[in-house]
């Protein structure tokens, strides 16, 4: 990796982006596009100029690969699942399933077939995506560089799109179950008639905007905080690994090893928090508590 | 940090993974877990039952042993009684037999004595005549003194 430290860092934080560049766009190498083109971004500027119509191939690719790995392993165990003496793989999978099931049962008391497998998927998937953070920062990007790919960010959860994609899905489920359990009227009432309520009808109507503002903010804050918490933790962790990688190679281990060990905790904890908060939000969506 | 289509791609992947997990991963594992739980519960119940059965069997065997002992004791007592009876009866028999023998012997003795006496009686006349002849140095006419001799024999 030639170049200054800031170039190195920026390079490491740039996703491999495939997107649409508008017609007449001057690319990094000086060529001007005749038509709007779908292409790989060659620089960070190109990537950001692509705007919304761009895919982070690395994030998405790693995320899908890791999710598929998780499902492959668990499906393998599920196929061979026996009520007799379980093997090693089944033991491990059962521990995970029971752990998630226990967490769901402690928090969520209704009947819902989706929440438990959803939580299992979130926990295992997020954990695996976080785990990529422990792969030495230059290892995979260098490998892909040799294969001709300029950028490669291997930790999907350091991409805010990935965490937002998941938390917005959870948000959609929150809205769906709120409407399903409480009905449209109940949900609207929950958003507008609390926390301030009055017996006086006029005062009640007067309080509606205030309530809606408060409840709306707290509702919107759920997916945003869910996504940004995971993203922030992993992004910061990744950044520190990159900074450590700037040290001379013989000194790196003194910092990277302790940080990696500490990071094992962060990885697991963040996966757990994402799962737990999903369960909590969904159980709140099921409750007519107000 | 650009917000772009990746977010939607991730959401779609998320949706597919969750559905797959819900359909093909969660149910078989949960089913296996619940089945094992049931098996263990059944096994525990069975072992409880077996323990109870064992206790019952032990009790039963102890009782049967006791009964058998009682029966044996009864049998022994009966046998003893019977033995005593037999001994008693055989003693009786022996006594009776002895008595009979004694009586028989006595009767035989009596008979023999009578026979001897008769023989003696038959001979006494001759001996007396001989004795008298010796004394008288003459022959005694047996026919003459027959009457007297018979009287003498009768006196014996």
């Amino acid at each position: 990796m030639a170049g200054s430290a800031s170039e190195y860092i920026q390079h490491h934080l740039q996703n491999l982006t495939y997107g649409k560049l508008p017609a007449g766009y001057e690319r990094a190498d000086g060529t001007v596009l005749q038509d709007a083109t779908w292409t790989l971004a060659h620089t960070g500027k190109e990537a950001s100029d692509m705007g919304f119509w761009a895919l982070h191939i690395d994030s998405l690719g790693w995320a899908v690969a890791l999710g598929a790995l998780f499902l492959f392993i668990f499906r393998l165990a599920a196929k061979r699942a026996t009520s007799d003496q379980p093997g090693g793989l089944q033991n491990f999978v059962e521990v995970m399933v029971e752990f998630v099931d226990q967490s769901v049962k402690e928090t969520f008391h209704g009947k819902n077939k989706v929440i438990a497998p959803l939580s299992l998927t979130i926990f295992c998937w997020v954990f695996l995506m976080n785990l990529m953070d422990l792969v030495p920062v230059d290892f995979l990007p260098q490998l892909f560089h040799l294969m001709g790919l300029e950028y490669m960010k291997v930790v999907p959860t350091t991409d805010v799109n990935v965490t937002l994609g998941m938390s917005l899905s959870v948000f959609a489920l929150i809205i769906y179950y709120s409407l399903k359990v409480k009905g449209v009227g109940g949900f609207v009432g929950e958003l507008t008639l609390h926390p301030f309520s009055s017996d006086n009808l006029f005062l009640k109507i007067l309080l509606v905007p205030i309530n809606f503002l408060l409840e709306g903010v707290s509702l919107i804050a759920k997916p945003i905080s869910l996504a940004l918490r995971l993203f922030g933790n992993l992004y910061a962790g990744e950044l520190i690994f990159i900074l450590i990688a700037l040290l001379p190679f013989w000194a790196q281990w003194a910092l990277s090893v302790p940080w990696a060990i500490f990071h094992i905790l962060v990885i697991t904890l963040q996966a757990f928090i994402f799962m737990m908060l999903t369960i909590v939000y969904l159980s709140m969506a099921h409750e007519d508590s107000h | 940090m650009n917000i772009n289509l990746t977010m939607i791609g991730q959401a779609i992947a998320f949706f597919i993974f969750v559905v797959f997990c819900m359909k093909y991963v969660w149910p078989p594992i949960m089913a296996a877990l619940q089945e094992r739980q049931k098996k263990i519960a059944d096994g525990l119940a069975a072992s409880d039952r077996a323990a109870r059965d064992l206790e019952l069997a032990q009790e039963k065997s102890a009782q049967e042993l006791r009964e058998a002992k009682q029966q044996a004791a009864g049998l022994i007592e009966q046998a003893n009684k019977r033995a005593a009876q037999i001994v008693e009866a055989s003693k009786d028999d022996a006594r009776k037999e002895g008595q009979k023998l004694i009586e028989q012997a006595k009767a035989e003795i009596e008979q023999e004595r009578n026979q001897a006496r008769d023989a003696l009686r038959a001979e006494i006349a001759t001996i007396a005549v001989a004795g008298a002849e010796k004394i008288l140095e003459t022959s005694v006419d047996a026919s003459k003194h027959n009457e007297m001799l018979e009287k003498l024999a009768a006196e014996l």
Side-chain angles (χ1 to χ4, degrees), chain A:
Chain A
M1 279 306 134
S4 69
S6 79
E7 262 173 40
Y8 174 78
I9 293 169
Q10 270 175 3
H11 183 269
H12 265 282
L13 294 178
Q14 176 57 46
N15 283 102
L16 179 68
T17 314
Y18 182 79
K20 189 175 159 191
L21 286 171
Y25 183 82
E26 192 188 336
R27 301 207 57 170
D29 55 6
T31 54
V32 176
L33 295 171
Q34 301 296 319
D35 305 307
T37 323
W38 283 87
T39 179
L40 276 175
H42 289 162
T43 60
K45 190 175 176 307
E46 277 187 16
S48 61
D49 284 340
M50 283 169 179
F52 184 75
W53 296 103
L55 274 176
H56 290 164
I57 293 174
D58 48 0
S59 298
L60 209 52
W62 284 108
V64 169
L66 292 167
L69 176 71
F70 147 66
L71 285 176
F72 173 74
I73 292 170
F74 274 60
R75 175 64 188 157
L76 203 67
K79 254 195 205 160
R80 295 200 205 135
T82 164
S83 59
D84 294 327
Q85 206 177 0
L89 175 68
Q90 197 189 337
N91 252 335
F92 163 73
V93 168
E94 274 178 12
V95 167
M96 296 302 299
V97 167
E98 284 209 305
F99 160 69
V100 171
D101 196 45
Q102 208 59 42
S103 304
V104 171
K105 275 185 183 146
E106 274 167 15
T107 311
F108 179 74
H109 301 295
K111 268 199 137 186
N112 192 317
K113 277 188 175 169
V114 180
I115 291 184
L118 172 79
S119 309
L120 180 70
T121 310
I122 287 175
F123 181 70
C124 294
W125 196 18
V126 171
F127 177 78
L128 283 176
M129 290 194 286
N130 291 353
L131 197 64
M132 295 304 290
D133 215 0
L134 294 181
V135 178
V137 279
D138 271 324
F139 186 66
L140 286 167
Q142 199 66 34
L143 201 69
F144 280 92
H145 186 72
L146 292 177
M147 288 162 62
L149 291 172
E150 180 67 10
Y151 300 105
M152 181 52 59
K153 231 172 122 184
V154 293
V155 193
T157 39
T158 58
D159 184 347
V160 76
N161 288 295
V162 167
T163 58
L164 263 180
M166 292 180 81
S167 71
L168 288 178
S169 306
V170 171
F171 183 64
L173 281 175
I174 293 172
I175 302 289
Y176 171 74
Y177 282 119
S178 291
L179 290 176
K180 195 181 163 196
V181 173
K182 297 160 192 161
V184 177
F187 186 46
V188 171
E190 193 182 274
L191 286 179
T192 52
L193 302 179
H194 303 276
F196 304 114
S197 62
S198 169
D199 292 331
N200 186 328
L201 186 66
F202 175 70
L203 210 58
K204 211 172 184 176
I205 292 169
L206 204 68
L207 284 171
V208 160
I210 302 166
N211 284 330
F212 185 69
L213 188 72
L214 281 171
E215 288 289 319
V217 165
S218 84
L219 186 68
I220 302 295
K222 283 175 186 173
I224 305 291
S225 69
L226 199 57
L228 291 187
R229 179 181 301 109
L230 180 60
F231 164 72
N233 273 283
L234 270 291
Y235 191 80
E238 176 80 346
L239 198 60
I240 287 173
F241 275 121
I242 294 170
L243 290 176
I244 291 170
L246 286 170
L247 292 172
F249 74 92
W250 46 266
Q252 288 180 14
W253 63 272
L255 287 172
S256 65
V257 169
W259 181 243
I261 291 170
F262 173 68
H263 216 59
I264 295 172
L265 178 72
V266 174
I267 283 168
T268 321
L269 197 65
Q270 286 306 319
F272 179 70
I273 288 172
F274 201 107
M275 176 190 84
M276 235 23 238
L277 283 176
T278 304
I279 300 170
V280 169
Y281 290 157
L282 287 179
S283 81
M284 276 162 74
H286 277 76
E287 275 165 16
D288 264 322
S289 58
H290 288 290

Side-chain angles (χ1 to χ4, degrees), chain B residues 13-119:
Chain B
F14 185 44
F15 175 75
I16 293 169
F17 286 158
V18 169
V19 168
F20 186 89
C21 182
M22 203 173 84
K23 285 246 159 36
Y24 300 109
V25 174
W26 191 264
I29 294 172
M30 270 331 249
L33 281 175
Q34 274 159 5
E35 204 183 312
R36 185 169 322 120
Q37 263 172 5
K38 198 172 159 291
K39 262 189 190 174
I40 290 170
D42 285 355
L44 286 176
S47 81
D48 267 4
R49 212 161 39 237
R52 218 165 37 241
D53 283 355
L54 179 66
E55 211 172 293
L56 279 178
Q58 268 170 349
E59 235 167 65
K60 204 177 165 192
S61 77
Q63 201 187 336
E64 264 172 20
L65 196 65
R66 217 159 41 235
E67 271 172 20
K69 268 184 187 162
Q70 264 175 1
Q71 231 169 358
L75 279 176
I76 289 170
E77 207 181 330
Q78 235 175 356
N80 276 341
K81 226 187 262 173
R82 182 97 186 92
Q85 268 177 356
I86 288 170
V87 166
E88 207 57 40
S90 57
K91 264 186 195 165
D92 250 22
D93 280 358
R95 206 176 288 124
K96 272 183 199 153
E97 193 71 17
Q99 203 70 36
K100 217 163 76 186
L101 281 175
I102 290 167
E103 270 165 24
Q104 237 171 8
K106 271 185 183 163
E108 254 167 53
I109 290 166
E110 188 70 20
Q111 211 181 347
E112 269 174 29
R113 204 172 67 179
N114 284 346
Q115 272 176 0
R117 197 183 280 160
D118 281 352

